[in-house]
Amino acid sequence: MRLFIAEDSRSLGAWVAQKAAADLREAIEHSGVASMIVATGASQFDVLAALVQQPDIDWSKVTAFHLDEYVGLSPDHPASFCRYLNERFVSLVPLANFYFLRGDSDVQQTLEDVGDILRLRTIDVALVGIGENGHLAFNDPPADFAAEAPYLIVQLDEACRKQQVGEGWFASLDEVPREAISMSVRQILRSKQIYCSVPDERKSIAVRETVEGGITPMLPASILQSHPNTALVIDRAAASRLNPEIRSTAELIA
């Protein structure tokens, strides 16, 4: 895992988008196709806004997979990740295919259907973030680092659910679903390149523990330390609690 620090969320998003676009172009050049994983949430606003503007990507050769979704939410719900992804990414580029996770249909069948397709793909680029509680996708602590299935049904802890209220996706904690579909940790780690984007001071403690602590299921994002091609890309606010020595070793993004 390599650490990068950007001045702000916008420069973070622009840098990740440029790097991800280059990886997609390279995969298409070498293999004729490319596959990617796309996350949601506030951490991805600037990433996706910049990615859809990148030049010279043959999106007709790119297949993309949905990272996670709430169980029970229809795609027209304001907090639906299906809706988020359609509005900010899928409807804006002519993808070969995008595999949504419908949280309001037969969830077990969705896991199996999309998971079977994902097993057959080499994922060239994964765009992810981490939560205030250190979750990776919706794998809240203690995360299952051993599960081999591409997707899991997981329980959302209170810290995760409070974050969703704090970010404005839901009006109250009672409205936040208690279950979600999540890509498994092992499946995420099978990606050739991972860009983990983390802006905002709210996540500075999770960033510090991800970078400075050991690998533990109690801080799921810490597993990214084990992936040689992970770029943890944070802004100055998210870097504010890092040990100064660690911060001084980070690569700076203009």
Side-chain angles (χ1 to χ4, degrees):
M1 183 176 76
R2 296 169 63 189
L3 178 63
F4 297 83
I5 300 178
E7 183 63 32
D8 53 29
S9 180
R10 181 167 294 185
S11 57
L12 180 160
W15 186 89
V16 170
Q18 290 168 7
K19 295 295 184 180
D23 292 336
L24 292 172
R25 292 188 203 101
E26 181 178 2
I28 292 168
E29 181 179 349
H30 289 169
S31 304
V33 294
S35 296
M36 65 184 301
I37 295 164
V38 189
T40 57
S43 67
Q44 304 302 310
F45 286 159
D46 289 311
V47 174
L48 295 180
L51 183 59
V52 299
Q53 298 296 325
Q54 293 299 302
D56 303 323
I57 300 173
D58 186 349
W59 289 108
S60 70
K61 295 180 179 178
V62 178
T63 295
F65 292 86
H66 192 164
L67 183 68
D68 49 18
E69 180 59 285
Y70 298 104
V71 169
L73 252 58
S74 66
D76 60 356
H77 190 286
S80 164
F81 291 157
C82 288
R83 176 175 177 169
Y84 174 114
L85 287 166
N86 188 59
E87 291 178 348
R88 291 178 170 82
F89 183 59
V90 180
S91 66
L92 303 178
V93 291
L95 292 163
N97 211 333
F98 189 94
Y99 290 97
F100 286 102
L101 300 172
R102 286 288 297 266
D104 64 338
S105 58
D106 184 331
V107 174
Q108 192 60 49
Q109 193 64 52
T110 297
L111 265 66
E112 294 174 6
D113 290 347
V114 181
D116 286 347
I117 296 166
L118 182 55
R119 289 179 198 274
L120 301 177
R121 297 281 181 161
T122 296
I123 299 300
D124 300 291
V125 176
L127 302 177
V128 302
I130 65 176
E132 292 176 34
N133 65 351
H135 70 203
L136 184 60
F138 262 146
N139 297 290
D140 284 338
D144 187 343
F145 284 174
E148 291 286 351
Y151 289 102
L152 309 170
I153 298 176
V154 297
Q155 302 297 311
L156 302 182
D157 70 14
E158 187 168 316
C160 172
R161 293 170 64 237
K162 284 182 175 178
Q163 178 183 328
Q164 311 314 313
V165 176
E167 290 184 355
W169 302 108
F170 298 90
S172 70
L173 189 63
D174 289 341
E175 294 181 15
V176 185
R178 296 178 179 272
E179 289 187 322
I181 304 169
S182 179
M183 189 174 289
S184 67
V185 171
R186 285 202 172 213
Q187 181 63 54
I188 294 169
L189 293 179
R190 293 187 183 108
S191 306
K192 292 172 66 175
Q193 177 68 52
I194 299 173
Y195 295 100
C196 183
S197 303
V198 194
D200 204 320
E201 194 275 337
R202 293 179 299 109
K203 297 184 178 180
S204 59
I205 294 176
V207 165
R208 181 186 66 199
E209 297 306 312
T210 297
V211 174
E212 299 180 12
I215 297 175
T216 170
M218 298 309 296
L219 201 294
S222 64
I223 195 69
L224 295 175
Q225 295 177 29
S226 70
H227 192 286
N229 295 319
T230 288
L232 177 59
V233 193
I234 62 180
D235 65 4
R236 290 192 178 276
S240 61
R241 285 186 168 87
L242 286 175
N243 181 298
E245 288 188 13
I246 297 293
R247 194 161 58 239
S248 70
T249 67
E251 299 173 63
L252 301 181
I253 297 169

